[in-house]
């Protein structure tokens, strides 16, 4: 696939991976629909890219408003060729301490919201002759990662939904599906993550601060979409090793994550969440 004159709709486009994807798709000649909650941030992203853009702000879990947003998006250029479900929120808290509302919110934002948006757009995509749906999951969508029980549940679920959707639509309707599993990318994901009370954590992790640049992550995503890759892990070092182990040697993966989880849980229970 080439992206010239394609219409690409990106949620969570105001920063991080979403912003980097907007710039990368624009450089490849696509028209970009920018969605997120903060209109001012989306306007700044639009100002930084030289292509046609539609700023379409909305709250992903405002399900009553989604049909109108889908209609506006598809009407802009006649169709949406590529939908990137990127909006999401992470977590940093032990399951033992976490209020159930935190699990509900994260699953709502990271799993149910992209399912709703995809389900609403899917009939129009099929009517137009096909398209491509991208789900930004996580290494935590393949591996049970400490401090992220709700996040892991949502991201595992997103992969399951996208895999089943691919099975139903790829051959029959020419709707292709790509799962992206990033590891540590240098974004605000950990700073914005929810703590045990459901409040923003307000500080980053060293592993995120030392992670891959969003532009490199975006480059790899575009290459995967262009080549119709069903799933791509974008990670390095121990994160990549654990993700691969989950497939090739689950017992070894569980041993490694159990040792990691015991150390982290001990620190958190002692009040050290750095």
């Amino acid at each position: 696939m080439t992206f010239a004159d394609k219409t690409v709709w990106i949620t969570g486009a105001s920063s991080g991976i979403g912003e980097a994807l907007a710039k990368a798709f624009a450089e490849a000649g696509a028209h970009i629909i920018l969605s997120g909650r903060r209109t001012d941030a989306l306007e700044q992203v639009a100002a930084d890219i030289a292509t046609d853009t539609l700023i379409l702000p909305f709250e992903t879990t405002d399900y009553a408003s989604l049909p109108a947003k889908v209609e506006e998006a598809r009407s802009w250029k006649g169709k949406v060729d590529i939908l990137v479900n990127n909006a999401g929120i992470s977590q940093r808290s032990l399951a033992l301490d976490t209020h159930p509302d935190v699990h509900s919110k994260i699953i709502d934002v990271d799993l149910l919201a992209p399912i709703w948006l995809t389900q609403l757009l899917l009939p129009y995509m099929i009517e137009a002759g096909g398209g491509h749906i991208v789900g930004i999951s996580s290494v935590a969508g393949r591996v049970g990662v400490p401090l992220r029980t709700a996040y892991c549940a949502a991201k595992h679920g997103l992969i399951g939904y996208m895999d089943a959707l691919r099975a139903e639509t790829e051959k029959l309707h020419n709707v292709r599906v790509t799962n992206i599993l990033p590891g540590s990318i240098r974004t605000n994901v950990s700073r914005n993550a929810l703590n045990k009370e459901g409040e923003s954590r307000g500080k980053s992790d060293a592993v995120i601060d030392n992670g891959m640049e969003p532009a490199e992550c975006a480059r790899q995503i575009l290459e995967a979409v262009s080549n119709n890759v069903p799933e791509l892990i974008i990670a390095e070092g121990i994160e990549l090793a654990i993700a691969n182990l989950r497939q090739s040697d689950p017992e070894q993966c569980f041993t490694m994550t159990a040792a990691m989880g015991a150390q982290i849980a001990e620190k958190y229970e002692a009040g050290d969440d750095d």
Side-chain angles (χ1 to χ4, degrees):
M1 178 190 294
T2 60
F3 302 119
D5 295 322
K6 300 293 184 182
T7 299
V8 182
W9 189 2
I10 304 169
T11 67
S14 61
S15 65
I17 293 173
E19 179 183 3
L21 282 170
K23 292 177 178 178
F25 275 117
E27 288 175 1
H31 312 299
I32 311 297
I33 303 173
L34 301 166
S35 288
R37 292 178 299 170
R38 297 179 294 129
T39 302
D40 57 340
L42 296 174
E43 288 174 345
Q44 183 58 59
V45 174
D48 290 341
I49 57 181
T51 188
D52 290 345
T53 57
L54 172 65
I55 296 173
L56 191 60
F58 65 95
E59 171 58 60
T60 59
T61 56
D62 182 6
Y63 300 130
S65 74
L66 287 187
K69 298 297 181 181
V70 169
E71 180 61 29
E72 188 174 350
R74 79 178 193 90
S75 297
W76 181 51
K77 295 290 184 180
K79 63 176 179 174
V80 174
D81 297 289
I82 301 170
L83 170 65
V84 182
N85 286 301
N86 172 68
I89 191 167
S90 192
Q91 173 194 10
R92 296 294 186 274
S93 62
L94 294 173
L96 181 66
D97 303 328
T98 302
H99 193 281
D101 286 348
V102 175
H103 287 77
S104 295
K105 180 172 182 178
I106 290 175
I107 289 171
D108 203 18
V109 172
D110 290 5
L111 177 58
L112 296 181
I115 287 176
W116 266 81
L117 186 58
T118 300
Q119 290 289 133
L120 289 169
L121 183 62
L122 185 62
Y124 298 117
M125 212 173 242
I126 291 172
E127 182 183 322
H132 205 125
I133 297 169
V134 181
I136 306 297
S137 181
S138 169
V139 167
R142 188 64 74 201
V143 179
V145 182
L147 304 179
R148 297 162 178 82
T149 47
Y151 186 68
C152 287
K155 293 301 189 179
H156 274 70
L158 185 61
I159 289 174
Y161 169 78
M162 291 293 176
D163 282 352
L165 182 66
R166 183 191 307 108
E168 292 179 5
T169 64
E170 183 172 48
K171 298 297 184 183
L172 187 60
H173 297 298
N174 193 36
V175 175
R176 303 174 185 276
V177 175
T178 295
N179 289 323
I180 301 296
L181 283 64
S184 294
I185 311 297
R186 199 173 301 174
T187 69
N188 288 323
V189 63
S190 57
R191 187 171 288 107
N192 295 331
L194 300 186
N195 62 18
K196 62 185 180 181
E197 289 92 11
E199 301 168 346
S200 293
R201 184 170 181 247
K203 57 183 177 181
S204 192
D205 298 329
V207 68
I208 295 294
D209 293 339
N210 294 317
M212 183 184 294
E213 290 291 345
E216 172 57 21
C217 179
R219 184 195 67 78
Q220 293 189 36
I221 292 171
L222 262 68
E223 184 175 342
V225 174
S226 178
N227 292 307
N228 189 31
V229 175
E231 182 171 288
L232 176 65
I233 300 171
I234 303 179
E236 301 170 319
I238 188 65
E239 292 177 336
L240 179 60
I242 289 177
N244 287 330
L245 272 177
R246 182 62 181 86
Q247 301 295 97
S248 64
D249 190 348
E251 290 299 325
Q252 177 66 13
C253 176
F254 298 151
T255 298
M256 290 178 67
T257 55
M260 181 192 313
Q263 291 179 346
I264 292 172
E266 185 175 20
K267 285 180 59 179
Y268 263 65
E269 289 179 0
D272 181 3
D273 63 350
D274 289 326

